Amino acid sequence: MSEEKAQRHNERMKRHKKVVDAKIEKATIEQGVVIVITGNGKGKTTSALGTLLRSLGHGHQCALVQFIKGQWDCGETRFFAGTQNLVSYTMDTGFTWNTQNFEQDKQAALDVWQQIKPLFSDPNCHLIVLDEITYMFKYKYLDIAELVTAINNRPKIQNVIITGRAAAKELIELADTVSEINPVKHAFNQGIKAQEGIEW
Ligand code: ATP
Ligand code: MG
């Protein structure tokens, strides 16, 4: 890089730092956040699990609630088994995107909801991951208003992550951070088989 180019780069970085520093200074509110990871691309559940690791790494108490993949032999389920500070809940039916038994699945979703409700008033629970919960509202198994109320009344420092495609507008409105993952490419569409350790 020429000296002139290097100097221009340095000046640009300095300006950028100033903008970032100003934003950091303005962000003074201390509270938990609601994060929605939605969209049709790959990376929603794995993103939530990454944040879960981060939180556990700091010694926080966390909850992982899986509405779909619960029964599958996922690497994360194996990895997290017996993890200190983590409580896990899974919907105990074979619910998939192509649901077969509405009443049974609805009951299973309601059972999970009853089990996890107390988490939203537990000040020691730092993070709740609600994986694939968006489908529970799409299929009308759960009442979205109940979740919104629980989240709005949660302890101030608690964080909640919601994943799943087509997040309802109520969830988008409620969230502090929303990321929509866009499927630019997916190996599956090129005929590449789902792989252990990558897809599950
Ligand atoms: P991951 O668990 O890998 O983060 P995800 O949570 O974003 O994926 P889901 O919609 O929950 O994706 O789908 C779960 C499975 O479907 C995963 O095995 C994932 O690789 C696969 N998948 C995700 N997006 C696509 C896509 N656009 N086309 C085909 N398969 C996909
Ligand atoms: Mg997922």
Side-chain angles (χ1 to χ4, degrees), residues 37 41-46 66 68-69 76 97 131-132 135 163-165 199:
I37 315 277
K42 172 175 165 61
K44 298 175 290 294
T45 297
T46 44
Q66 290 181 295
I68 292 189
K69 280 194 218 168
E76 61 263 32
W97 290 269
D131 188 37
E132 322 289 357
Y135 306 98
T163 83
R165 297 176 189 208
E199 259 80 42

Short mmCIF file of all heavy atoms in Angstrom, two decimals, residues 37 41-46 66 68-69 76 97 131-132 135 163-165 199, ligand 2:
data_model
loop_
_atom_site.label_atom_id
_atom_site.label_comp_id
_atom_site.label_asym_id
_atom_site.label_seq_id
_atom_site.Cartn_x
_atom_site.Cartn_y
_atom_site.Cartn_z
N ILE A 37 -34.55 -14.39 15.22
CA ILE A 37 -33.75 -14.82 14.07
C ILE A 37 -34.70 -15.56 13.14
O ILE A 37 -35.16 -16.66 13.46
CB ILE A 37 -32.60 -15.78 14.46
CG1 ILE A 37 -31.84 -15.29 15.70
CG2 ILE A 37 -31.66 -16.01 13.28
CD1 ILE A 37 -30.78 -14.27 15.48
N GLY A 41 -33.17 -18.74 5.22
CA GLY A 41 -31.80 -19.24 5.08
C GLY A 41 -31.36 -20.07 6.27
O GLY A 41 -31.99 -20.05 7.33
N LYS A 42 -30.27 -20.81 6.09
CA LYS A 42 -29.73 -21.64 7.17
C LYS A 42 -28.95 -20.78 8.15
O LYS A 42 -28.18 -19.92 7.75
CB LYS A 42 -28.78 -22.69 6.57
CG LYS A 42 -28.01 -23.48 7.61
CD LYS A 42 -27.21 -24.57 6.96
CE LYS A 42 -26.16 -25.15 7.90
NZ LYS A 42 -26.72 -25.76 9.09
N GLY A 43 -29.12 -21.05 9.43
CA GLY A 43 -28.32 -20.35 10.44
C GLY A 43 -29.10 -19.80 11.61
O GLY A 43 -28.53 -19.13 12.48
N LYS A 44 -30.40 -20.08 11.66
CA LYS A 44 -31.21 -19.51 12.74
C LYS A 44 -30.95 -20.24 14.07
O LYS A 44 -30.55 -19.62 15.06
CB LYS A 44 -32.71 -19.60 12.38
CG LYS A 44 -33.05 -18.79 11.13
CD LYS A 44 -34.49 -18.95 10.68
CE LYS A 44 -34.81 -20.32 10.12
NZ LYS A 44 -34.11 -20.62 8.87
N THR A 45 -31.18 -21.54 14.07
CA THR A 45 -30.98 -22.30 15.31
C THR A 45 -29.52 -22.25 15.74
O THR A 45 -29.21 -22.04 16.92
CB THR A 45 -31.44 -23.76 15.12
OG1 THR A 45 -32.84 -23.75 14.84
CG2 THR A 45 -31.18 -24.60 16.36
N THR A 46 -28.63 -22.41 14.78
CA THR A 46 -27.20 -22.42 15.14
C THR A 46 -26.76 -21.06 15.68
O THR A 46 -25.89 -21.01 16.56
CB THR A 46 -26.34 -22.86 13.94
OG1 THR A 46 -26.81 -22.20 12.77
CG2 THR A 46 -26.41 -24.36 13.73
N GLN A 66 -36.86 -26.46 22.73
CA GLN A 66 -36.90 -26.85 21.32
C GLN A 66 -38.27 -27.37 20.94
O GLN A 66 -38.73 -28.37 21.48
CB GLN A 66 -35.81 -27.88 21.04
CG GLN A 66 -34.42 -27.25 21.10
CD GLN A 66 -33.34 -28.24 20.79
OE1 GLN A 66 -33.13 -29.19 21.54
NE2 GLN A 66 -32.64 -28.02 19.71
N ILE A 68 -39.19 -28.20 17.76
CA ILE A 68 -39.27 -29.15 16.64
C ILE A 68 -38.26 -30.27 16.72
O ILE A 68 -38.62 -31.43 16.78
CB ILE A 68 -39.17 -28.43 15.29
CG1 ILE A 68 -40.43 -27.58 15.09
CG2 ILE A 68 -39.06 -29.44 14.15
CD1 ILE A 68 -40.57 -26.98 13.73
N LYS A 69 -36.98 -29.90 16.78
CA LYS A 69 -35.97 -30.93 16.63
C LYS A 69 -35.76 -31.76 17.88
O LYS A 69 -34.88 -32.61 17.90
CB LYS A 69 -34.64 -30.27 16.25
CG LYS A 69 -34.56 -29.93 14.78
CD LYS A 69 -33.14 -29.62 14.43
CE LYS A 69 -33.05 -28.49 13.45
NZ LYS A 69 -31.70 -27.99 13.31
N GLU A 76 -26.21 -30.93 19.28
CA GLU A 76 -26.30 -29.98 20.40
C GLU A 76 -26.92 -30.63 21.63
O GLU A 76 -26.52 -30.37 22.76
CB GLU A 76 -27.04 -28.70 20.01
CG GLU A 76 -28.48 -28.84 19.55
CD GLU A 76 -28.61 -28.89 18.03
OE1 GLU A 76 -27.68 -29.40 17.37
OE2 GLU A 76 -29.64 -28.43 17.51
N TRP A 97 -42.38 -30.05 10.29
CA TRP A 97 -43.07 -29.00 9.54
C TRP A 97 -44.33 -29.57 8.89
O TRP A 97 -45.29 -28.87 8.68
CB TRP A 97 -42.14 -28.40 8.48
CG TRP A 97 -41.07 -27.61 9.12
CD1 TRP A 97 -41.11 -26.26 9.40
CD2 TRP A 97 -39.80 -28.06 9.60
NE1 TRP A 97 -39.95 -25.88 10.02
CE2 TRP A 97 -39.13 -26.96 10.15
CE3 TRP A 97 -39.16 -29.29 9.61
CZ2 TRP A 97 -37.87 -27.04 10.70
CZ3 TRP A 97 -37.91 -29.37 10.16
CH2 TRP A 97 -37.28 -28.26 10.70
N ASP A 131 -36.55 -22.11 20.40
CA ASP A 131 -36.18 -22.54 19.05
C ASP A 131 -37.39 -23.07 18.28
O ASP A 131 -38.09 -23.95 18.76
CB ASP A 131 -35.09 -23.63 19.18
CG ASP A 131 -34.51 -24.01 17.84
OD1 ASP A 131 -34.35 -23.11 16.98
OD2 ASP A 131 -34.21 -25.20 17.64
N GLU A 132 -37.60 -22.52 17.12
CA GLU A 132 -38.70 -22.91 16.20
C GLU A 132 -40.08 -22.59 16.77
O GLU A 132 -41.07 -23.20 16.35
CB GLU A 132 -38.66 -24.41 15.82
CG GLU A 132 -37.30 -25.04 15.61
CD GLU A 132 -36.57 -24.58 14.34
OE1 GLU A 132 -37.14 -23.79 13.58
OE2 GLU A 132 -35.41 -25.00 14.16
N TYR A 135 -43.47 -21.51 14.50
CA TYR A 135 -44.44 -22.44 13.91
C TYR A 135 -45.61 -22.71 14.85
O TYR A 135 -46.71 -23.03 14.42
CB TYR A 135 -43.76 -23.76 13.54
CG TYR A 135 -42.55 -23.53 12.66
CD1 TYR A 135 -41.26 -23.51 13.21
CD2 TYR A 135 -42.70 -23.28 11.30
CE1 TYR A 135 -40.16 -23.25 12.41
CE2 TYR A 135 -41.60 -23.01 10.50
CZ TYR A 135 -40.33 -23.00 11.06
OH TYR A 135 -39.25 -22.73 10.29
N THR A 163 -36.48 -18.27 17.40
CA THR A 163 -36.08 -18.61 16.04
C THR A 163 -37.23 -19.26 15.28
O THR A 163 -38.18 -19.77 15.89
CB THR A 163 -34.88 -19.60 15.98
OG1 THR A 163 -35.37 -20.94 16.13
CG2 THR A 163 -33.82 -19.32 17.01
N GLY A 164 -37.10 -19.27 13.98
CA GLY A 164 -38.09 -19.91 13.11
C GLY A 164 -38.43 -19.04 11.93
O GLY A 164 -38.27 -17.81 11.99
N ARG A 165 -38.86 -19.69 10.87
CA ARG A 165 -39.22 -18.94 9.66
C ARG A 165 -40.49 -18.13 9.88
O ARG A 165 -41.27 -18.45 10.77
CB ARG A 165 -39.43 -19.92 8.50
CG ARG A 165 -38.15 -20.66 8.16
CD ARG A 165 -38.35 -21.69 7.10
NE ARG A 165 -37.11 -22.47 7.00
CZ ARG A 165 -36.68 -23.08 5.91
NH1 ARG A 165 -37.38 -23.01 4.81
NH2 ARG A 165 -35.55 -23.75 5.92
N GLU A 199 -26.10 -30.23 9.85
CA GLU A 199 -27.55 -29.98 9.85
C GLU A 199 -28.22 -30.41 11.15
O GLU A 199 -29.30 -29.93 11.48
CB GLU A 199 -28.21 -30.72 8.69
CG GLU A 199 -28.52 -29.82 7.51
CD GLU A 199 -27.30 -29.56 6.66
OE1 GLU A 199 -26.54 -30.49 6.42
OE2 GLU A 199 -27.12 -28.40 6.28
MG MG B 2 -33.93 -23.99 13.09
#
